[in-house]
Amino acid sequence: MVAGIINVIAFAVFACAMCWRLDQIRRQGGGVQAVAMTTAIGSLTLAFVVSNKDVTAFLNDELFTGASRVLLYGLLALGVASLIVVFFFSSTETVRQRRAGVESIPLVVAVLGLQITMLLIPLDLRTQGLSASTTRNAGFALFFLIASGYLAYGLLQCVRSIRRFLAMAGGYLKVSLLILMTGLILLAAGSMAQIVYVLGSLVFGVSLLKLVQVATIFSVIGLVAFLIGICYPMAYAKTRAVLAGLRRRRRYRELEPLWTLITWAIPSVVLPGHGGTVLKSTPTVLFERRIVEIRDGLTQLSPLLSEDFDDGSDADRAELLRAAVDEYREAGTSKGAVRDVLPPDGTSLDDDAEPLLRLARVL
C-alpha cells in the first residue's frame, strides 16, 4: 500500500519534471547534460507507467510474455545511464559527449542481456517475482543479476560524481546533493541486496527472504530521498520567490502614504501601465516601479527641501516634505538645482527602498 502510494507520487513528480524539462529545452536549448537530464526523467516516468498492472498485462499479451519486465528494467537502465552523464564531473561539453558514448556500451550490453536471458526463461516463470524456486532457474537468476548489477553500477557512478560536486557546493545546493546522494546509495544498496539474494539462492541453495525485504525497504526509502533531492532546489527557489513576493507586496503597500503624498503634488511621475491602464504585474515589478516613482518625485522636490532634510530625523523629514509638497502645489514647479535625497542603504532593491519605508511609516 505504502509502496503503491509512493509510486503514484513519484510518477506525478517525474511527469511534472518531464514537462518542465521539455519547456526549458524549448526556451533555452541545451547541450548533452540537458538532453541527458530530460532522457533520465522521461525514462523513469515511462518506467512507472510500465509498472502499472494493466500496462504490464497489455505488453505481455501484445508482445511476448515477460516483455513488460524487459521494458521496465531497460527503461530503468536508460534512466540511470542518463543520470551518469548528468552528474559526470566535467567542465567541457566535448568530454561529457565522450563519456555519453562510453556509457552507451555497457547500457547496450545490459539491455541485450536482459532480452536474451528473458527468452531463456520458461514462460511460466517470466512474470514471477523473486523467490527460492524462481531464482534457481539459471535464466531467471541471470536476468536479475544483469538488471540489478547494471543499476548498482550506474547508481554508484552517480554517487562518485556527486561526491566531487559536493566539494564545490554550498548552501541549499549542498543539502540537495547530500539528500540525492543518500537516495542513490540506498537504491544501489537495494540492487546489491537483490544480487546477494539471487547468488545465494542459485549457487548455495540458500534463500534469505529478508534480503528481498531489505532491498524493497532500501528502494522505497532511496526513491523518496532521490525525489526530495531532485525537487529540493526547485522547492527552495519557489519558496524563496513566494516569500520575497509577499514581503515586497507588503512593502509596496507600506510605501503608499509616501507615494500618495508625492504623486498628489506631481502626478506626472506615475509611470503608465499597459495601454494607459493600471499596471498588473508581479509584486517585485510593482515594488520597483513605486520606488522609481517616489525617487523621481523626491528629485523634483529636492530644490524645495532644505539641507536639514538630509540630516534630520524621519519625523522632521516628514514635516519638511509636507511643506515642500504644499509649496510645489502652490507654485506648480520647483526652481533650483536638484539633488539626490534619501540615498539607498545598499545595492539591492530592498536596500533602495529602506530609507523610503522609514519615511513612509512616519507619514
Side-chain angles (χ1 to χ4, degrees), residues 22 52 54 82 100 125 164 169 201 219 243 247 251 257 263 286:
L22 291 174
N52 179 272
D54 294 333
S82 300
L125 293 181
R164 300 182 68 181
S201 181
S219 297
L243 292 177
R247 183 177 66 254
R251 292 187 168 191
T263 56
L286 293 173

Side-chain angles (χ1 to χ4, degrees), residues 310-324:
D310 298 324
D311 301 323
S313 65
D314 290 324
D316 293 336
R317 287 173 175 170
E319 292 302 322
L320 292 171
L321 181 59
R322 288 192 182 97

Side-chain angles (χ1 to χ4, degrees), residues 195-262:
I195 293 173
V196 173
Y197 175 79
V198 172
L199 287 175
S201 181
L202 178 66
V203 178
F204 303 105
V206 178
S207 180
L208 300 175
L209 288 176
K210 286 188 176 180
L211 281 174
V212 178
Q213 297 172 352
V214 168
T216 302
I217 293 172
F218 280 2
S219 297
V220 171
I221 298 175
L223 177 60
V224 172
F226 177 78
L227 290 173
I228 293 174
I230 288 291
C231 296
Y232 185 82
M234 293 184 288
Y236 180 86
K238 186 63 176 177
T239 301
R240 283 180 62 94
V242 170
L243 292 177
L246 292 174
R247 183 177 66 254
R248 286 177 173 171
R249 188 177 294 278
R250 184 180 67 251
R251 292 187 168 191
Y252 168 82
R253 290 169 180 160
E254 288 180 6
L255 285 173
E256 189 164 352
L258 177 58
W259 179 84
T260 301
L261 179 63
I262 290 174

Side-chain angles (χ1 to χ4, degrees), residues 134-146:
T134 56
T135 49
R136 289 194 178 97
N137 178 272
F140 189 95
L142 190 56
F143 178 91
F144 275 94
L145 287 176
I146 293 172

